[in-house]
Amino acid sequence: MLLDLLGDAAVIAISAYLFGRNKFIMRCVYDPLQPKHFVTLVAIFASLSVIGTYHGIPVEDALANTRLVGTLIGGIMGGPVVGGTVGIISG
């Protein structure tokens, strides 16, 4: 179970890293409050969080997932406004 969760978190982290290597995404990170940049960052990190939600692992009638990883990376790269919006979207 732990290895499955670590694998999901690694996929999300690698995706975020590869997005971070893109020049347009770096411009979005430097100025996240511009509407176009804001929407781009929220769309990327919300999709990563939703993917983390759907790749959950059932554990004793509960679902362990990695939804928080996409939200945290969005908050770190885009600031509290982006991270908060991603958190609201991802649930």
Side-chain angles (χ1 to χ4, degrees):
M1 174 185 78
L2 183 62
L3 289 177
D4 291 334
L5 285 176
L6 286 174
D8 290 344
V11 168
I12 291 171
I14 289 172
S15 300
Y17 173 75
L18 291 176
F19 280 125
R21 302 291 294 171
N22 187 328
K23 289 184 189 287
F24 176 70
I25 301 300
M26 289 308 295
R27 277 185 275 153
C28 292
V29 169
Y30 288 129
D31 190 17
L33 296 181
Q34 252 188 1
K36 185 168 100 172
H37 296 169
F38 177 78
V39 170
T40 301
L41 289 174
V42 168
I44 289 170
F45 293 113
S47 62
L48 288 175
S49 291
V50 169
I51 289 169
T53 300
Y54 284 111
H55 282 263
I57 300 167
V59 178
E60 296 181 17
D61 296 331
L63 196 63
N65 58 39
T66 56
R67 171 179 50 202
L68 187 61
V69 175
T71 305
L72 287 174
I73 294 174
I76 290 169
M77 290 183 75
V81 177
V82 173
T85 307
V86 170
I88 290 170
I89 291 172
S90 66

